[in-house]
Amino acid sequence: MYKKVWSVVCVISLLTLLILSGCNNNEKTASNDGANKSTSSKEKIVLTFWDENAGPQRTPIWQELIKRFEEANPDIKVEYVGLPKDTAKQKYDAAISANDTPDVGSIQSSWLSEFSIRQALVPLDDYFDKWSEKEKINKGAIEFNRNTVIDGKLYGIPYTQNIDILWYRPDWFKQAGVKPPETWDEFFNAIEKMTDKSKKRYGFTIRGGDGASIQLQRMMYAYSGIEQYFDENGESTINHPKHVEFVKKYLGLYKKYTPESDITNGYKEMIAAFDTGVTALVQHNIGSYGEHSKALKPDQFAALPLPKTEDGKYVVEGGNTINISIFKNTKHPEAAWKLVSFLTSAESQSYWNQQTGQIPTHADVMNEQWVKDAQHIKVAFSVLENKDTIFYNPAFYLPDYRSILDNIVDPGIQAVMSGKKSVEDFLNEWASALEKSKQQYDKQFNKK
């Protein structure tokens, strides 16, 4: 269980205030000169909703759900604000610093601790306890959210669950006579065998741009089988020899068996490489199903679990959920809760998760036929329900956990790929940053 104490509010530099002004013209600010914060009794209540992963695949899903909400609640208007995934956290940070947050937002679990420390969110416990559907929401996800914040309160209702997997081209593998990988040795061998540069076809694509750190971390622990993020002495396991071994093999694929553009590729470019027939394998999560299903035929893509460890175990990161939260600056908390409860209801979860391909957190949706029939969700549950599966929990409770990943680890991955930094130096820097953060945390509260 995560430790639940921390009182040091993160100081965000003045520079982050400038980020908010970088929102494009399609992204309305939460204040609008106060127009959405105060209304007369005859006017509609206006709520602003921020989506942390906007784009052509997911924005229409939210717009449809908002349309349904407004039809059911004609006295409330919801203004949708789409934030690109790679900059969403920065824009939330800037909005919190400027005291200009939305009413409601989609929030990643790894942000909850920091945002609650900065007193940006409304505790939802009282609302949740009175909600008729509360018993239907995945209890483990609710408990995880409470355990990752200082005060043990509930700051977000999870509406979707995720798990990292491999997407592969079964048609290509069959033609080449290559077995879909189940072990890490098979994984690396398959990448080599499926590479044919004469056809401009590569065995794999590495995410080297924004967000690379999260995927690399999940691959590292899946390879090593290590269960603890810090050992009993408070030392990070990031630079464990098994992780050094893996990262050398993994980033060593670059340019030999992966496209040269990988070093700067973010999510969109990585997925596009797979969907346009450039690569035979890609590691992401089940949430990219929507993109694959639009770009490829059903027999051209399928899911595989991340390979097993040497002793036959799956290793999965805990807390891989996304939540709907209410920000403290809202002038309409009751209306905001109406929106939260609607977006996390069975009907909304069914629509959202079926379109994206992710796992709902609502028990009623789990019994729907589309969940039972989806190949990639079957793969997900073959891992999640496996008796030998191990869950490790990153240090989400550290307020600067995500900033370490974004500002130290992401650039470090590119430095290794470009040959400017050794794997050992990279992992030592990563581990050192985590250990320093944990030491400050422990010292502040006399933890041993």
Side-chain angles (χ1 to χ4, degrees):
M1 293 295 180
Y2 290 133
K3 300 174 182 177
K4 303 179 181 178
V5 285
W6 184 273
S7 64
V8 178
V9 177
C10 297
V11 177
I12 304 299
S13 69
L14 183 60
L15 181 60
T16 61
L17 296 177
L18 299 177
I19 300 171
L20 191 61
S21 63
C23 297
N24 62 41
N25 292 333
N26 293 326
E27 295 171 2
K28 302 176 183 177
T29 64
S31 63
N32 285 332
D33 296 325
N36 67 325
K37 295 300 184 181
S38 61
T39 59
S40 70
S41 59
K42 294 181 180 180
E43 295 176 326
K44 286 186 177 182
I45 292 173
V46 180
L47 300 175
T48 304
F49 172 78
W50 283 18
D51 167 20
E52 43 67 60
N53 191 3
Q57 202 273 325
R58 296 192 179 185
T59 292
I61 301 174
W62 287 117
Q63 290 173 332
E64 172 60 25
L65 290 176
I66 288 171
K67 177 183 175 182
R68 295 180 185 182
F69 175 78
E70 291 177 336
E71 289 173 351
N73 298 272
D75 60 331
I76 304 175
K77 175 178 174 54
V78 179
E79 295 183 343
Y80 170 86
V81 178
L83 306 179
K85 181 180 177 66
D86 292 340
T87 58
K89 174 63 164 54
Q90 293 173 310
K91 290 176 180 177
Y92 269 119
D93 283 339
I96 293 170
S97 295
N99 204 32
D100 194 16
T101 51
D103 296 278
V104 177
S106 179
I107 300 295
Q108 296 182 20
S109 293
S110 59
W111 302 348
L112 287 175
S113 176
E114 179 187 339
F115 287 5
S116 66
I117 286 169
R118 297 169 70 185
Q119 300 180 344
L121 303 176
V122 173
L124 302 178
D125 302 81
D126 290 343
Y127 293 111
F128 186 71
D129 289 343
K130 297 174 184 177
W131 189 30
S132 61
E133 297 184 56
K134 72 170 187 175
E135 296 299 328
K136 301 285 188 176
I137 305 299
N138 184 295
K139 290 181 174 57
I142 293 292
E143 188 66 15
F144 185 95
N145 283 356
R146 285 182 166 139
N147 288 338
T148 199
V149 298
I150 310 165
D151 53 14
K153 294 181 180 179
L154 183 63
Y155 288 100
I157 309 300
Y159 64 91
T160 186
Q161 306 173 75
N162 218 336
I163 182 174
D164 276 46
I165 58 168
L166 298 174
W167 292 103
Y168 81 112
R169 290 292 302 259
D171 52 340
W172 290 3
F173 272 72
K174 184 177 180 181
Q175 291 169 6
V178 177
K179 177 179 177 292
E182 296 181 10
T183 68
W184 286 103
D185 284 343
E186 291 174 350
F187 169 77
F188 287 109
N189 288 334
I191 290 172
E192 182 175 352
K193 291 178 180 178
M194 294 303 297
T195 298
D196 187 345
K197 292 185 179 180
S198 67
K199 296 181 180 179
K200 295 183 179 180
R201 182 182 294 178
Y202 295 88
F204 193 69
T205 175
I206 296 171
R207 184 174 182 173
D210 290 338
S213 53
I214 297 173
Q215 288 186 223
L216 178 62
Q217 176 173 272
R218 291 169 181 169
M219 294 280 272
M220 287 162 51
Y221 283 88
Y223 176 88
S224 69
I226 295 171
E227 301 181 40
Q228 302 299 325
Y229 206 64
F230 291 100
D231 64 20
E232 61 276 7
N233 298 317
E235 294 182 354
S236 172
T237 57
I238 285 291
N239 57 349
H240 188 279
K242 291 293 290 184
H243 291 158
V244 174
E245 176 182 289
F246 172 76
V247 175
K248 285 184 175 180
K249 291 180 180 179
Y250 183 69
L251 295 185
L253 298 170
Y254 176 54
K255 290 197 291 187
K256 294 180 181 178
Y257 308 110
T258 81
E260 188 171 352
S261 61
D262 279 1
I263 193 168
T264 57
N265 282 356
Y267 166 75
K268 292 180 180 178
E269 296 82 7
M270 174 187 68
I271 295 302
F274 180 76
D275 288 346
T276 58
V278 175
T279 65
L281 271 168
V282 64
Q283 181 261 329
H284 189 238
N285 56 53
I286 59 175
S288 52
Y289 167 82
E291 284 94 328
H292 305 322
S293 64
K294 289 182 179 180
L296 300 168
K297 297 178 181 179
D299 63 347
Q300 292 181 318
F301 72 102
L304 293 170
L306 292 186
K308 295 179 179 180
T309 60
E310 291 179 347
D311 57 354
K313 295 180 180 179
Y314 292 120
V315 182
V316 178
E317 182 177 294
N320 197 349
T321 61
I322 310 177
N323 313 273
I324 305 293
S325 299
I326 299 176
F327 284 80
K328 72 170 185 179
N329 286 332
T330 182
K331 300 298 183 182
H332 309 289
E334 298 299 327
W337 171 251
K338 280 188 178 181
L339 180 58
V340 172
S341 59
F342 178 86
L343 295 178
T344 54
S345 67
E347 178 183 357
S348 296
Q349 281 204 35
S350 178
Y351 181 76
W352 197 94
N353 285 286
Q354 187 171 8
Q355 300 298 312
T356 62
Q358 294 185 186
I359 305 171
T361 65
H362 199 293
D364 288 351
V365 188
M366 294 299 297
N367 293 321
E368 293 182 5
Q369 196 60 44
W370 71 265
V371 175
K372 298 176 181 179
D373 292 342
Q375 184 266 344
H376 61 287
I377 293 183
K378 290 179 182 177
V379 168
F381 279 106
S382 72
V383 175
L384 294 172
E385 296 179 348
N386 190 299
K387 64 181 179 62
D388 292 325
T389 293
I390 296 169
F391 292 88
Y392 77 94
N393 293 321
F396 289 167
Y397 60 90
L398 297 177
D400 54 353
Y401 169 77
R402 276 304 294 266
S403 67
I404 290 172
L405 295 186
D406 295 342
N407 300 319
I408 295 177
V409 185
D410 280 355
I413 291 172
Q414 292 183 329
V416 174
M417 293 174 72
S418 65
K420 296 178 180 178
K421 185 173 292 186
S422 70
V423 169
E424 289 86 354
D425 286 346
F426 161 61
L427 293 180
N428 286 339
E429 288 175 7
W430 185 355
S432 178
L434 289 170
E435 289 168 0
K436 181 178 180 181
S437 178
K438 187 176 187 303
Q439 288 164 7
Q440 291 173 341
Y441 176 95
D442 292 345
K443 182 178 180 180
Q444 179 74 22
F445 301 102
N446 298 315
K447 300 295 179 181
K448 295 181 179 181

